[in-house]
Amino acid sequence: MKKHNFYAGPSILSEYTIRQTADAIINFEGTGLSLMEISHRSKQFVAVCDQARALIKELLQIPEEFEVVFLGGGASLQFAMAPYNFLENKAAYLDSGSWASKAIKEAKMFGEVLVAGSSKADNYSYIPKNLEIPADADYFYYCSNNTIFGTEMHEDPKPGVPVIADMSSDIFSRPIDFSNYSLIFAGAQKNLAPSGVTLVIVRKSMLGKVSRPIPTMLNYKTHVENESMFNTPPVVPIYAALQTLLWYKELGGMEAIHKMNKQKAALLYDEIDNNPLFKGTVTCKEDRSIMNVCFVMAEGYEALEDEFNKYASEAGMVGIKGHRSVGGFRASIYNAMPLASVQALVDTMKSFAQLKTKK
Ligand SMILES: *Cc1c(COP(=O)(O)O)cnc(C)c1O
């Protein structure tokens, strides 16, 4: 039986991405070589990399002044690389979850960090509002989707200073307004490809401004100037990313995908709000993520948590256990998650409630 894959990351990929990549691992574009053993400087692979970058620009409608590069090191390396390249004096950071707080820790090594707002005291159950962002900050940093806590900022902030965003778990889920961004980064393993590659979108005119020297590999300029080929890039994940991007184009692009995502999320949140056994963990409904849906057993039903986990797993659901810092359940419903799988989870919640409430 094909599983309903709700893992938070690495996570579900489209069948198209998996099949195309599997084929290329056996025989890459008729070369008689595996994708895993071909030179990254071969003309066939350079074409893959160029096409993937071009398709990202096309799908997200990225303005000319930005460049797209593929890096290693995961999103976590960007927590240090961003301030290394952009933090001269001080920066404002939004403390909206574990990933943001890890980024704050790294940034403190490079300059003064002002916390523009924090929901830590409430276990990150909402996105802080009324942010304090000084006009002379080098940049404002935030994480657009808090994968662990299931909160998301649905609009691109306009704080009056350049913006840096960790979009690891919601990139390609909606259109983006690039006007205020200096840098957007995303680990690939949620909405794009297997783990191993990080997508970086950087505004070229913002580079080369900090006074400190930057090691070659940690300098965005190096990778922009060498079009992601300064050193060996993660060849297989980039190929898989291209397949996902082609599939996104086929689906109709960002507006169409955003619409499907909102529909899937609404279906599941509706069940959480109406099923007496469950309740959502995000305290501000407008901050609910359309990618990671967090919920727990409602009051009086807490003891049923393990039983529901088992019940759902018997129905083919995988990966719905919540992160240990929140508990309960988390259903990650990334772009590749079919509506039918969300419906299957909803049906499972309904039948479990019937089982438990009938006298
Ligand atoms: C998964 C995730 C990360 C960490 O990514 P790595 O590639 O493992 O370093 C960072 N930020 C967010 C929002 C994530 O979802």
Side-chain angles (χ1 to χ4, degrees):
M1 181 176 69
K2 174 83 178 145
K3 301 284 184 187
H4 301 290
N5 181 1
F6 291 96
Y7 273 125
S11 43
I12 189 167
L13 290 167
S14 76
E15 174 114 17
Y16 180 80
T17 301
I18 294 168
R19 284 196 185 281
Q20 291 287 110
T21 308
D23 287 351
I25 282 175
I26 303 298
N27 184 356
F28 174 53
E29 294 183 357
T31 53
L33 297 172
S34 166
L35 175 62
M36 297 190 293
E37 58 180 3
I38 195 158
S39 167
H40 63 295
R41 301 200 190 277
S42 66
K43 71 174 188 315
Q44 293 94 335
F45 184 73
V46 170
V48 164
C49 195
D50 288 348
Q51 195 190 350
R53 289 164 56 235
L55 211 44
I56 289 166
K57 289 181 188 170
E58 181 188 327
L59 282 166
L60 293 176
Q61 296 182 20
I62 302 177
E64 271 297 308
E65 57 269 33
F66 288 83
E67 197 47 89
V68 173
V69 289
F70 295 117
L71 304 182
S76 299
L77 179 60
Q78 298 305 308
F79 298 163
M81 208 163 147
Y84 217 145
N85 284 259
F86 292 104
L87 179 49
E88 182 74 36
N89 297 307
K90 65 178 173 202
Y93 274 67
L94 180 60
D95 180 28
S96 60
S98 313
W99 297 118
S101 91
K102 284 181 175 158
I104 290 172
K105 176 170 175 252
E106 298 302 301
K108 283 180 176 164
M109 292 185 223
F110 299 93
E112 189 188 344
V113 173
L114 307 159
V115 175
S118 176
S119 49
K120 187 175 183 190
D122 299 300
N123 202 30
Y124 297 120
S125 57
Y126 61 93
I127 301 274
K129 313 284 178 333
N130 305 318
L131 308 182
E132 284 171 53
I133 303 168
D136 62 345
D138 293 322
Y139 59 82
F140 167 62
Y141 176 106
Y142 80 110
C143 175
S144 55
N145 184 66
N146 299 285
T147 324
I148 293 172
F149 299 94
T151 61
E152 184 173 18
M153 251 161 96
H154 299 285
E155 251 142 60
D156 300 292
K158 301 189 167 35
V161 299
V163 180
I164 294 181
D166 174 0
M167 294 198 184
S168 293
S169 51
D170 67 347
I171 192 135
F172 298 114
S173 70
R174 61 167 174 90
I176 299 168
D177 172 359
F178 280 85
S179 41
N180 292 277
Y181 289 106
S182 284
L183 176 77
I184 292 173
F185 63 85
Q189 66 271 27
K190 279 91 181 204
N191 244 347
L192 190 61
S195 60
V197 67
T198 308
L199 167 60
V200 169
I201 304 168
V202 61
R203 189 186 289 268
K204 286 177 278 185
S205 61
M206 297 299 286
L207 295 174
K209 288 192 171 171
V210 287
S211 53
R212 71 176 66 85
I214 305 173
T216 313
M217 271 296 284
L218 299 179
N219 194 332
Y220 291 114
K221 252 186 141 164
T222 304
H223 303 286
V224 167
E225 283 166 4
N226 292 279
E227 302 187 321
S228 292
M229 291 281 176
F230 173 74
N231 71 323
T232 318
V235 170
V236 175
I238 291 172
Y239 184 85
L242 173 60
Q243 307 315 309
T244 302
L245 295 162
L246 289 165
W247 184 67
Y248 286 169
K249 192 170 171 174
E250 193 68 32
L251 289 179
M254 287 305 106
E255 298 281 353
I257 290 171
H258 191 204
K259 204 171 148 207
M260 289 187 251
N261 285 330
K262 284 191 286 190
Q263 187 193 359
K264 286 185 281 178
L267 177 64
L268 186 48
Y269 282 120
D270 214 45
E271 183 60 26
I272 290 167
D273 290 341
N274 291 305
N275 188 316
L277 263 63
F278 300 98
K279 65 166 192 193
T281 57
V282 176
T283 50
C284 224
K285 283 194 181 174
E286 80 243 33
D287 297 339
R288 283 174 157 181
S289 169
I290 59 169
M291 296 280 102
N292 309 97
V293 178
C294 294
F295 56 102
V296 292
M297 302 307 304
E299 274 100 83
Y301 295 104
E302 292 90 343
L304 294 177
E305 185 172 312
D306 287 345
E307 201 182 327
F308 179 69
N309 228 331
K310 191 160 167 282
Y311 185 78
S313 110
E314 280 161 8
M317 317 281 143
V318 176
I320 61 163
K321 199 171 167 54
H323 190 272
R324 60 190 180 278
S325 55
V326 185
F329 306 98
R330 169 177 52 176
S332 296
I333 52 171
Y334 298 115
N335 288 354
M337 170 66 60
L339 179 64
S341 285
V342 180
Q343 186 64 55
L345 175 57
V346 165
D347 293 345
T348 303
M349 292 163 77
K350 277 194 206 303
S351 64
F352 188 68
Q354 260 160 20
L355 204 66
K356 293 297 157 188
T357 52
K358 77 167 176 244
K359 294 279 163 304

